[in-house]
Amino acid sequence: MKRLKPSFFFLGPTKTGTTSMFCAFNKHKQLAAPSNKELQYFTHEFRNGLSWYLRQFPIDKNDCKLTYEASPSYFGNKNAGKRMIEQDFGDSKFIIFLRNPVDRIISKYRHFRSFNIMMRYDNPPNYVKDQLTRTPNWVGEDKNFQELIDSEENLYFGCSKYLLHLKKWFSYFDRDRFLIMDFRDIGNDFESVIYRIEDFLGLDRQKIDVVKRNHKDQWVAWRDEDSINLEQIEYLKEYFNPYNKALYEFMGKDYGWENDNIIV
């Protein structure tokens, strides 16, 4: 049986709206979702082969539906784009939301702390090994927020240096294959975000309700136990300022993240 092949990807690191968008577009009449949001084929599951990957998508019923996926691990991975080209995904489209790096790091930190699964590892190869073998290193010894800042862990800091990764993706795909938006727009004007994506993908405009995902209840305990202070936030703002400025210049858009009021 012939399977649908993904034609677009919600591409972005964790905590940049990939899950919200995946769930929202699962309601679109012209789309059919895969078996799982984060298939991670072009990174952690590549050893399973292309046949395995395609089996995760719906059967092609000749009803002109498209399918897609959203694996956050792709954005910061040096091999994902290259592998897509090599396996004939060169006509893919990508949707990316850029989020204030400081806000993203805090959100990611609290997300993992809330589930008590802080991913602690020294470098990406060890991470990939842990993913493939599902070793107990996933949960390891937790770091508090200051320890995380001091260590500059890659999946927090490295993946937040957006320009570095965008240039890598642009080396494999033409820039017109990408729709890049401001993460804040999801909360400020959800309907316009949906319409922009539909237009970009050539889909009929369909009103989709806001997907409400509230993790705050999960984070309450960690807010009290492991508070994040203003000094740490100011440090992170200064740290990312040169990376953000370079991004603004490259994109021709000032996101103004240095003026954001980060709520802790």
Side-chain angles (χ1 to χ4, degrees):
M1 287 181 288
K2 184 180 178 182
R3 299 276 178 169
L4 291 173
K5 178 181 175 182
S7 57
F8 69 94
F9 298 79
F10 287 106
L11 183 69
T14 54
K15 315 312 293 180
T16 59
T18 54
T19 300
S20 294
M21 289 296 106
F22 180 89
C23 295
F25 278 87
N26 192 22
K27 303 174 184 178
H28 199 286
K29 62 184 178 182
Q30 291 174 281
L31 300 177
S35 60
N36 187 15
K37 175 216 166 196
E38 297 185 21
L39 296 174
Q40 305 194 78
Y41 169 63
F42 294 104
T43 50
H44 313 317
E45 305 295 345
F46 194 67
R47 66 174 185 173
N48 289 333
L50 183 59
S51 296
W52 171 87
Y53 180 56
L54 295 178
R55 286 199 300 272
Q56 311 310 309
F57 294 95
I59 295 172
D60 187 352
K61 299 180 180 179
N62 295 315
D63 54 2
C64 299
K65 285 192 174 183
L66 302 178
T67 191
Y68 62 102
E69 68 140 313
S71 296
S73 63
Y74 295 167
F75 180 74
N77 185 275
K78 65 180 181 180
N79 295 317
K82 179 175 180 288
R83 287 169 172 173
M84 287 183 183
I85 293 293
E86 291 174 345
Q87 298 206 335
D88 198 27
F89 287 83
D91 58 349
S92 300
K93 289 188 174 183
F94 305 92
I95 297 106
I96 300 173
F97 289 91
L98 297 180
R99 182 176 187 175
N100 183 326
V102 180
D103 194 34
R104 190 193 85 84
I105 286 175
I106 292 172
S107 178
K108 180 179 177 67
Y109 170 75
R110 284 194 163 131
H111 175 78
F112 283 111
R113 285 300 297 265
S114 69
F115 290 104
N116 197 27
I117 55 169
M118 273 291 291
M119 294 187 294
R120 187 178 188 184
Y121 46 85
D122 298 325
N123 51 53
N126 286 346
Y127 169 60
V128 172
K129 181 179 179 181
D130 292 348
Q131 282 283 309
L132 294 177
T133 60
R134 301 297 192 268
T135 67
N137 290 341
W138 261 89
V139 292
E141 181 183 352
D142 286 358
K143 293 181 178 179
N144 63 37
F145 194 67
Q146 186 59 50
E147 289 173 328
L148 184 145
I149 291 175
D150 294 339
S151 68
E152 296 186 16
E153 289 213 30
N154 185 64
L155 272 233
Y156 290 84
F157 282 73
C159 284
S160 298
K161 299 171 183 176
Y162 302 133
L163 181 56
L164 172 68
H165 303 295
L166 287 175
K167 285 183 175 179
K168 175 192 61 189
W169 282 94
F170 292 160
S171 72
Y172 292 114
F173 299 89
D174 293 338
R175 284 188 66 170
D176 62 4
R177 310 302 297 178
F178 295 81
L179 175 62
I180 300 175
M181 290 181 283
D182 190 328
F183 173 83
R184 292 170 292 197
D185 290 342
I186 297 177
N188 295 336
D189 195 353
F190 184 81
E191 184 174 67
S192 292
V193 166
I194 296 298
Y195 287 159
R196 284 188 65 190
I197 295 174
E198 289 170 332
D199 292 346
F200 175 67
L201 297 173
L203 300 173
D204 295 338
R205 284 194 170 188
Q206 176 182 325
K207 183 175 176 57
I208 297 176
D209 294 332
V210 176
V211 177
K212 295 182 179 180
R213 303 180 67 249
N214 190 342
H215 299 297
K216 289 182 178 179
D217 290 342
Q218 300 170 348
W219 295 345
V220 169
W222 294 110
R223 286 180 186 274
D224 294 336
E225 180 178 324
D226 191 25
S227 61
I228 297 171
N229 61 55
L230 294 178
E231 182 179 350
Q232 291 168 328
I233 290 175
E234 289 304 314
Y235 171 83
L236 289 174
K237 282 185 176 182
E238 288 296 319
Y239 178 93
F240 281 105
N241 187 57
Y243 297 102
N244 294 343
K245 293 293 186 183
L247 175 70
Y248 300 168
E249 182 177 355
F250 182 82
M251 296 294 296
K253 178 177 179 177
D254 187 340
Y255 288 90
W257 288 326
E258 60 277 4
N259 300 318
D260 281 359
N261 181 27
I262 307 295
I263 299 174
V264 296

